[in-house]
Protein backbone atom coordinates (compact mmCIF):
# COMPACT_ATOMS: atom_id res chain seq x y z
CA UNK A 1 0.00 0.00 0.00
CA UNK A 2 3.05 2.28 0.16
CA UNK A 3 5.32 2.65 -2.84
CA UNK A 4 6.76 5.19 -5.24
CA UNK A 5 3.39 6.53 -6.38
CA UNK A 6 1.95 10.02 -6.13
CA UNK A 7 -0.02 9.27 -2.94
CA UNK A 8 0.25 7.18 0.20
CA UNK A 9 -2.58 5.63 2.17
CA UNK A 10 -3.31 7.71 5.24
CA UNK A 11 -6.55 6.20 6.50
CA UNK A 12 -8.88 3.27 5.91
CA UNK A 13 -12.15 3.00 7.80
CA UNK A 14 -13.96 -0.28 7.16
CA UNK A 15 -17.25 0.32 5.42
CA UNK A 16 -16.66 4.07 5.25
CA UNK A 17 -13.76 5.31 3.13
CA UNK A 18 -10.16 5.23 1.99
CA UNK A 19 -8.00 8.36 2.20
CA UNK A 20 -4.66 9.16 0.58
CA UNK A 21 -2.25 12.04 1.12
CA UNK A 22 0.16 13.61 -1.33
CA UNK A 23 3.58 11.99 -1.44
CA UNK A 24 6.03 14.90 -0.93
CA UNK A 25 8.86 12.79 -2.33
CA UNK A 26 7.10 11.78 -5.54
CA UNK A 27 9.60 11.54 -8.37
CA UNK A 28 7.57 13.06 -11.20
CA UNK A 29 7.24 16.69 -12.31
CA UNK A 30 5.39 18.50 -15.07
CA UNK A 31 6.21 21.67 -17.01
CA UNK A 32 3.53 24.30 -17.67
CA UNK A 33 4.37 27.49 -19.58
CA UNK A 34 8.07 26.86 -19.05
CA UNK A 35 7.77 26.38 -15.30
CA UNK A 36 8.48 22.98 -13.73
CA UNK A 37 6.13 21.86 -10.97
CA UNK A 38 6.31 18.98 -8.54
CA UNK A 39 3.45 16.48 -8.87
CA UNK A 40 0.84 15.71 -7.67
CA UNK A 41 -1.18 18.92 -7.35
CA UNK A 42 -3.84 17.23 -5.23
CA UNK A 43 -3.18 17.26 -1.49
CA UNK A 44 -5.71 14.63 -0.42
CA UNK A 45 -7.92 12.01 -2.06
CA UNK A 46 -10.91 10.45 -0.34
CA UNK A 47 -12.79 7.49 -1.81
CA UNK A 48 -16.06 6.79 0.01
CA UNK A 49 -17.22 3.19 0.12
CA UNK A 50 -20.77 3.28 -1.28
CA UNK A 51 -22.24 -0.16 -1.90
CA UNK A 52 -25.61 0.93 -3.29
CA UNK A 53 -25.38 2.32 -6.82
CA UNK A 54 -28.42 4.59 -6.48
CA UNK A 55 -26.86 6.16 -3.38
CA UNK A 56 -23.58 6.67 -5.23
CA UNK A 57 -25.37 8.38 -8.13
CA UNK A 58 -27.28 10.64 -5.73
CA UNK A 59 -24.01 11.58 -4.03
CA UNK A 60 -22.53 12.54 -7.38
CA UNK A 61 -25.54 14.60 -8.44
CA UNK A 62 -25.55 16.54 -5.16
CA UNK A 63 -21.84 17.28 -5.36
CA UNK A 64 -20.89 15.06 -2.43
CA UNK A 65 -18.74 13.16 -4.91
CA UNK A 66 -16.58 15.12 -7.36
CA UNK A 67 -16.51 12.38 -9.97
CA UNK A 68 -17.18 8.70 -10.55
CA UNK A 69 -18.00 6.19 -13.26
CA UNK A 70 -21.63 6.11 -14.36
CA UNK A 71 -23.39 3.16 -15.98
CA UNK A 72 -25.56 3.53 -19.05
CA UNK A 73 -28.75 3.13 -17.02
CA UNK A 74 -28.17 6.62 -15.57
CA UNK A 75 -27.03 8.51 -18.69
CA UNK A 76 -30.48 9.86 -19.55
CA UNK A 77 -31.08 10.78 -15.91
CA UNK A 78 -27.89 12.85 -15.78
CA UNK A 79 -28.65 14.47 -19.14
CA UNK A 80 -32.02 15.65 -17.84
CA UNK A 81 -31.22 16.43 -14.23
CA UNK A 82 -27.53 17.37 -14.24
CA UNK A 83 -26.76 18.87 -17.67
CA UNK A 84 -23.97 21.02 -16.20
CA UNK A 85 -21.85 17.98 -15.45
CA UNK A 86 -18.99 17.04 -17.77
CA UNK A 87 -18.44 13.52 -19.03
CA UNK A 88 -16.17 11.46 -21.24
CA UNK A 89 -16.82 8.08 -22.81
CA UNK A 90 -14.40 5.29 -23.56
CA UNK A 91 -14.62 1.78 -24.88
CA UNK A 92 -14.75 0.41 -21.36
CA UNK A 93 -14.52 -3.31 -20.75
CA UNK A 94 -16.77 -6.29 -21.06
CA UNK A 95 -18.11 -9.23 -19.16
CA UNK A 96 -18.78 -12.55 -20.77
CA UNK A 97 -20.36 -15.90 -20.18
CA UNK A 98 -17.40 -18.25 -19.82
CA UNK A 99 -17.97 -21.91 -20.70
CA UNK A 100 -15.92 -24.51 -18.78
CA UNK A 101 -14.16 -25.61 -21.95
CA UNK A 102 -12.09 -28.47 -20.53
CA UNK A 103 -15.00 -30.71 -19.51
CA UNK A 104 -18.39 -31.85 -20.89
CA UNK A 105 -20.59 -30.52 -22.25
CA UNK A 106 -18.57 -27.45 -23.17
CA UNK A 107 -15.39 -29.20 -24.19
CA UNK A 108 -17.23 -29.56 -27.52
CA UNK A 109 -16.96 -26.36 -29.58
CA UNK A 110 -20.19 -27.20 -31.40
CA UNK A 111 -22.10 -27.10 -28.11
CA UNK A 112 -20.63 -23.70 -27.29
CA UNK A 113 -21.46 -22.49 -30.79
CA UNK A 114 -25.05 -23.71 -30.41
CA UNK A 115 -25.36 -21.72 -27.19
CA UNK A 116 -24.34 -18.55 -29.03
CA UNK A 117 -26.71 -19.19 -31.94
CA UNK A 118 -29.43 -19.50 -29.32
CA UNK A 119 -28.45 -16.22 -27.63
CA UNK A 120 -30.66 -13.25 -28.52
CA UNK A 121 -28.33 -10.26 -28.83
CA UNK A 122 -31.24 -7.99 -29.81
CA UNK A 123 -32.99 -8.77 -26.52
CA UNK A 124 -29.76 -8.09 -24.65
CA UNK A 125 -29.39 -4.76 -26.43
CA UNK A 126 -32.94 -3.78 -25.46
CA UNK A 127 -32.23 -4.77 -21.87
CA UNK A 128 -29.03 -2.73 -21.75
CA UNK A 129 -30.51 0.27 -23.51
CA UNK A 130 -27.66 0.91 -25.92
CA UNK A 131 -26.16 -0.81 -28.99
CA UNK A 132 -23.83 -3.65 -28.15
CA UNK A 133 -20.65 -4.12 -30.19
CA UNK A 134 -20.86 -7.52 -31.80
CA UNK A 135 -17.27 -8.43 -32.54
CA UNK A 136 -15.41 -8.99 -29.32
CA UNK A 137 -12.01 -10.28 -30.41
CA UNK A 138 -11.02 -7.55 -30.72
CA UNK A 139 -13.99 -5.21 -30.44
CA UNK A 140 -12.15 -1.96 -31.15
CA UNK A 141 -13.07 -0.54 -34.54
CA UNK A 142 -10.07 1.18 -36.06
CA UNK A 143 -7.59 -1.30 -34.65
CA UNK A 144 -5.47 -2.93 -37.42
CA UNK A 145 -6.69 -6.35 -36.30
CA UNK A 146 -10.41 -5.51 -36.33
CA UNK A 147 -12.55 -7.47 -38.81
CA UNK A 148 -16.08 -6.14 -39.46
CA UNK A 149 -18.89 -8.64 -38.99
CA UNK A 150 -19.81 -8.62 -42.68
CA UNK A 151 -16.24 -9.60 -43.61
CA UNK A 152 -16.03 -12.58 -41.27
CA UNK A 153 -16.43 -16.14 -42.59
CA UNK A 154 -20.01 -17.39 -42.83
CA UNK A 155 -19.46 -19.97 -40.07
CA UNK A 156 -18.69 -17.09 -37.68
CA UNK A 157 -21.33 -14.66 -38.93
CA UNK A 158 -23.99 -17.28 -38.25
CA UNK A 159 -23.19 -17.11 -34.53
CA UNK A 160 -24.62 -13.60 -34.34
CA UNK A 161 -27.91 -14.49 -36.03
CA UNK A 162 -30.43 -15.55 -33.39
CA UNK A 163 -31.90 -18.85 -34.57
CA UNK A 164 -33.40 -21.10 -31.85
CA UNK A 165 -34.32 -23.85 -34.33
CA UNK A 166 -30.77 -24.06 -35.66
CA UNK A 167 -29.37 -23.98 -32.11
CA UNK A 168 -31.53 -26.99 -31.12
CA UNK A 169 -30.40 -28.87 -34.22
CA UNK A 170 -26.76 -28.11 -33.43
CA UNK A 171 -27.21 -29.42 -29.90
CA UNK A 172 -28.89 -32.57 -31.22
CA UNK A 173 -26.06 -33.13 -33.70
CA UNK A 174 -23.57 -32.75 -30.84
CA UNK A 175 -25.32 -35.49 -28.86
CA UNK A 176 -27.85 -33.48 -26.83
CA UNK A 177 -31.20 -34.01 -28.58
CA UNK A 178 -33.05 -33.39 -25.30
CA UNK A 179 -31.08 -30.28 -24.47
CA UNK A 180 -28.89 -29.93 -21.39
CA UNK A 181 -28.77 -28.52 -17.87
CA UNK A 182 -25.84 -26.72 -16.27
CA UNK A 183 -24.95 -24.31 -13.47
CA UNK A 184 -24.01 -20.66 -13.94
CA UNK A 185 -22.03 -18.92 -11.18
CA UNK A 186 -22.13 -15.21 -10.48
CA UNK A 187 -21.72 -12.61 -7.76
CA UNK A 188 -24.65 -11.16 -5.84
CA UNK A 189 -25.29 -8.03 -7.88
CA UNK A 190 -28.88 -7.16 -8.80
CA UNK A 191 -28.12 -6.15 -12.40
CA UNK A 192 -26.25 -9.39 -13.02
CA UNK A 193 -29.11 -11.37 -11.54
CA UNK A 194 -31.57 -9.64 -13.89
CA UNK A 195 -29.32 -10.44 -16.84
CA UNK A 196 -29.01 -14.08 -15.79
CA UNK A 197 -32.81 -14.33 -15.72
CA UNK A 198 -32.79 -13.11 -19.31
CA UNK A 199 -30.26 -15.79 -20.32
CA UNK A 200 -32.32 -18.43 -18.58
CA UNK A 201 -35.43 -17.41 -20.49
CA UNK A 202 -33.85 -17.23 -23.95
CA UNK A 203 -31.99 -20.53 -23.56
CA UNK A 204 -35.09 -22.29 -22.29
CA UNK A 205 -36.37 -21.87 -25.85
CA UNK A 206 -33.62 -24.22 -27.12
CA UNK A 207 -34.10 -26.86 -24.42
CA UNK A 208 -31.35 -25.62 -22.12
CA UNK A 209 -31.97 -25.31 -18.39
CA UNK A 210 -29.79 -22.76 -16.60
CA UNK A 211 -29.36 -23.21 -12.85
CA UNK A 212 -28.26 -19.80 -11.54
CA UNK A 213 -25.91 -19.89 -8.54
CA UNK A 214 -25.61 -16.50 -6.81
CA UNK A 215 -22.78 -16.17 -4.29
CA UNK A 216 -21.31 -13.49 -2.07
CA UNK A 217 -18.50 -11.69 -3.87
CA UNK A 218 -15.71 -13.19 -1.80
CA UNK A 219 -16.79 -16.73 -2.63
CA UNK A 220 -17.49 -15.83 -6.25
CA UNK A 221 -14.13 -14.10 -6.80
CA UNK A 222 -12.29 -17.06 -5.27
CA UNK A 223 -14.19 -19.36 -7.61
CA UNK A 224 -13.28 -17.33 -10.70
CA UNK A 225 -9.59 -17.13 -9.80
CA UNK A 226 -9.40 -20.86 -9.18
CA UNK A 227 -11.71 -21.69 -12.13
CA UNK A 228 -13.51 -23.87 -9.62
CA UNK A 229 -16.85 -24.27 -11.31
CA UNK A 230 -18.85 -26.47 -13.62
CA UNK A 231 -20.87 -25.26 -16.59
CA UNK A 232 -20.52 -21.50 -16.89
CA UNK A 233 -19.28 -18.47 -15.01
CA UNK A 234 -19.54 -14.69 -15.30
CA UNK A 235 -16.24 -12.89 -15.55
CA UNK A 236 -14.60 -9.89 -17.21
CA UNK A 237 -13.05 -11.34 -20.31
CA UNK A 238 -12.68 -8.21 -22.44
CA UNK A 239 -10.72 -4.99 -21.97
CA UNK A 240 -10.21 -1.96 -24.18
CA UNK A 241 -6.68 -3.03 -25.13
CA UNK A 242 -7.18 -5.60 -27.94
CA UNK A 243 -3.89 -7.39 -27.27
CA UNK A 244 -4.64 -7.83 -23.58
CA UNK A 245 -8.21 -8.84 -24.33
CA UNK A 246 -7.03 -11.63 -26.62
CA UNK A 247 -4.13 -12.63 -24.38
CA UNK A 248 -6.69 -13.77 -21.83
CA UNK A 249 -7.49 -16.79 -24.03
CA UNK A 250 -3.98 -18.23 -24.05
CA UNK A 251 -3.46 -21.64 -22.47
CA UNK A 252 -2.54 -21.32 -18.82
CA UNK A 253 -3.08 -17.56 -18.65
CA UNK A 254 -4.23 -16.38 -15.25
CA UNK A 255 -7.29 -14.70 -16.81
CA UNK A 256 -8.27 -17.68 -18.97
CA UNK A 257 -11.16 -18.57 -16.69
CA UNK A 258 -12.86 -20.63 -19.41
CA UNK A 259 -9.80 -22.95 -19.48
CA UNK A 260 -9.95 -22.96 -23.27
CA UNK A 261 -6.87 -24.12 -25.14
CA UNK A 262 -5.79 -24.00 -28.78
CA UNK A 263 -2.21 -24.66 -29.84
CA UNK A 264 -2.27 -22.51 -32.98
CA UNK A 265 -3.87 -19.63 -31.10
CA UNK A 266 -1.13 -19.81 -28.46
CA UNK A 267 1.55 -19.72 -31.16
CA UNK A 268 0.05 -16.64 -32.78
CA UNK A 269 -0.52 -14.73 -29.55
CA UNK A 270 2.99 -15.56 -28.31
CA UNK A 271 4.25 -13.75 -31.39
CA UNK A 272 1.76 -10.90 -30.95
CA UNK A 273 2.87 -9.96 -27.43
CA UNK A 274 6.49 -9.66 -28.65
CA UNK A 275 5.88 -8.02 -32.03
CA UNK A 276 6.64 -4.27 -32.14
CA UNK A 277 5.39 -3.71 -35.71
CA UNK A 278 1.72 -2.67 -35.57
CA UNK A 279 0.84 -3.99 -39.02
CA UNK A 280 2.49 -7.36 -38.46
CA UNK A 281 0.82 -7.64 -35.08
CA UNK A 282 -2.51 -6.81 -36.69
CA UNK A 283 -2.17 -9.62 -39.23
CA UNK A 284 -1.29 -12.13 -36.52
CA UNK A 285 -4.22 -11.03 -34.39
CA UNK A 286 -6.64 -11.32 -37.30
CA UNK A 287 -5.69 -14.96 -37.75
CA UNK A 288 -5.92 -15.58 -34.01
CA UNK A 289 -9.30 -13.84 -33.75
CA UNK A 290 -10.81 -16.15 -36.37
CA UNK A 291 -9.84 -19.14 -34.25
CA UNK A 292 -11.34 -17.86 -31.00
CA UNK A 293 -14.43 -16.33 -32.63
CA UNK A 294 -15.27 -19.69 -34.19
CA UNK A 295 -14.67 -21.67 -31.01
CA UNK A 296 -16.70 -19.45 -28.59
CA UNK A 297 -14.96 -20.20 -25.28
CA UNK A 298 -16.66 -17.04 -24.05
CA UNK A 299 -19.98 -15.58 -25.10
CA UNK A 300 -19.91 -11.75 -24.91
CA UNK A 301 -22.85 -10.64 -22.79
CA UNK A 302 -21.74 -7.13 -21.88
CA UNK A 303 -19.49 -5.01 -24.02
CA UNK A 304 -20.36 -1.62 -22.69
CA UNK A 305 -18.89 1.80 -23.23
CA UNK A 306 -17.84 3.41 -20.00
CA UNK A 307 -18.43 6.99 -18.90
CA UNK A 308 -16.82 9.15 -16.27
CA UNK A 309 -18.91 12.08 -15.01
CA UNK A 310 -17.35 14.96 -13.10
CA UNK A 311 -18.13 18.46 -11.90
CA UNK A 312 -16.57 21.46 -13.71
CA UNK A 313 -14.78 22.50 -10.52
CA UNK A 314 -12.27 19.68 -11.09
CA UNK A 315 -9.48 21.34 -13.06
CA UNK A 316 -7.21 19.68 -15.60
CA UNK A 317 -9.23 16.48 -15.69
CA UNK A 318 -10.53 15.28 -19.03
CA UNK A 319 -12.13 11.96 -18.26
CA UNK A 320 -9.06 9.78 -18.53
Amino acid sequence: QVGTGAFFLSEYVIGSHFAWERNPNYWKTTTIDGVEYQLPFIDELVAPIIVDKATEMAALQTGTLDYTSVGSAYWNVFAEQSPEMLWAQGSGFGFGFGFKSDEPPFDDAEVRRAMMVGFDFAAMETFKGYPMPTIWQPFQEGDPSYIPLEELPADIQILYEYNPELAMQMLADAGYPDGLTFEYYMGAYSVWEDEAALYKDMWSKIGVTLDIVVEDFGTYEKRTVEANYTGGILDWFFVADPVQSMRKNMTGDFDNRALWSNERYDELMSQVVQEPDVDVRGRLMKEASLIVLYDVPVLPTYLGPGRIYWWPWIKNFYGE
Side-chain angles (χ1 to χ4, degrees):
Q1 296 177 359
V2 178
T4 58
F7 301 92
F8 61 85
L9 185 67
S10 59
E11 186 178 43
Y12 167 47
V13 179
I14 296 175
S16 175
H17 66 277
F18 290 87
W20 294 267
E21 292 182 9
R22 179 180 183 273
N23 181 356
N25 299 313
Y26 185 47
W27 59 274
K28 195 172 185 180
T29 62
T30 189
T31 301
I32 302 174
D33 295 331
V35 180
E36 186 177 40
Y37 296 90
Q38 178 71 40
L39 292 176
F41 291 127
I42 296 173
D43 294 317
E44 183 184 37
L45 289 174
V46 178
I49 299 171
I50 305 176
V51 178
D52 180 69
K53 195 66 178 179
T55 303
E56 181 186 359
M57 295 298 96
L60 179 62
Q61 285 188 288
T62 57
T64 303
L65 293 181
D66 299 298
Y67 88 106
T68 193
S69 59
V70 177
S72 60
Y74 291 92
W75 292 353
N76 289 336
V77 174
F78 276 71
E80 295 172 2
Q81 299 179 6
S82 306
E84 69 274 32
M85 294 197 70
L86 304 175
W87 58 269
Q89 182 168 314
S91 43
F93 61 93
F95 286 89
F97 194 111
F99 297 107
K100 190 71 173 297
S101 300
D102 66 337
E103 62 185 33
F106 298 123
D107 56 345
D108 186 342
E110 289 307 304
V111 175
R112 302 192 300 267
R113 286 169 54 81
M115 296 294 292
M116 189 163 174
V117 172
F119 189 85
D120 190 348
F121 283 98
M124 194 66 186
E125 187 170 299
T126 300
F127 174 80
K128 284 294 182 184
Y130 59 84
M132 280 183 60
T134 50
I135 307 305
W136 57 274
Q137 292 286 5
F139 64 87
Q140 289 276 65
E141 291 190 48
D143 187 272
S145 58
Y146 180 80
I147 306 175
L149 178 62
E150 62 273 13
E151 296 179 15
L152 287 167
D155 55 10
I156 295 178
Q157 289 191 38
I158 198 173
L159 300 173
Y160 296 92
E161 300 171 6
Y162 179 52
N163 190 332
E165 293 76 17
L166 175 59
M168 286 189 288
Q169 185 59 55
M170 293 172 70
L171 286 175
D173 292 344
Y176 299 92
D178 299 322
L180 52 89
T181 299
F182 68 95
E183 294 180 326
Y184 173 54
Y185 296 84
M186 57 182 294
Y189 181 38
S190 60
V191 174
W192 291 355
E193 292 177 47
D194 291 343
E195 290 179 15
L198 185 63
Y199 312 155
K200 184 180 181 74
D201 177 68
M202 67 176 66
W203 277 331
S204 69
K205 296 176 174 61
I206 63 172
V208 171
T209 300
L210 187 66
D211 290 336
I212 302 170
V213 181
V214 181
E215 301 178 314
D216 67 89
F217 269 88
T219 302
Y220 160 71
E221 289 291 345
K222 185 173 187 292
R223 190 180 299 280
T224 62
V225 170
E226 297 176 349
N228 177 26
Y229 68 99
T230 58
I233 197 165
L234 172 73
D235 199 11
W236 66 286
F237 292 90
F238 321 109
V239 293
D241 180 343
V243 175
Q244 294 304 317
S245 188
M246 294 183 65
R247 173 194 57 77
K248 292 171 177 285
N249 301 302
M250 295 177 68
T251 303
D253 189 273
F254 174 77
D255 287 319
N256 185 352
R257 310 291 165 76
L259 300 182
W260 177 73
S261 181
N262 182 283
E263 185 175 349
R264 178 55 181 162
Y265 185 90
D266 291 344
E267 292 175 359
L268 291 166
M269 290 307 301
S270 294
Q271 297 175 58
V272 164
V273 297
Q274 302 177 69
E275 178 55 60
D277 188 290
V278 174
D279 293 330
V280 174
R281 190 168 63 235
R283 290 195 296 271
L284 293 168
M285 287 178 66
K286 279 186 175 181
E287 182 180 345
S289 69
L290 295 179
I291 296 172
V292 72
L293 285 171
Y294 179 90
D295 258 29
V296 196
V298 179
L299 194 157
T301 58
Y302 173 74
L303 293 173
R307 280 188 184 180
I308 296 290
Y309 278 73
W310 71 96
W311 287 97
W313 60 67
I314 299 183
K315 304 303 179 184
N316 301 312
F317 178 68
Y318 306 98
E320 66 274 18

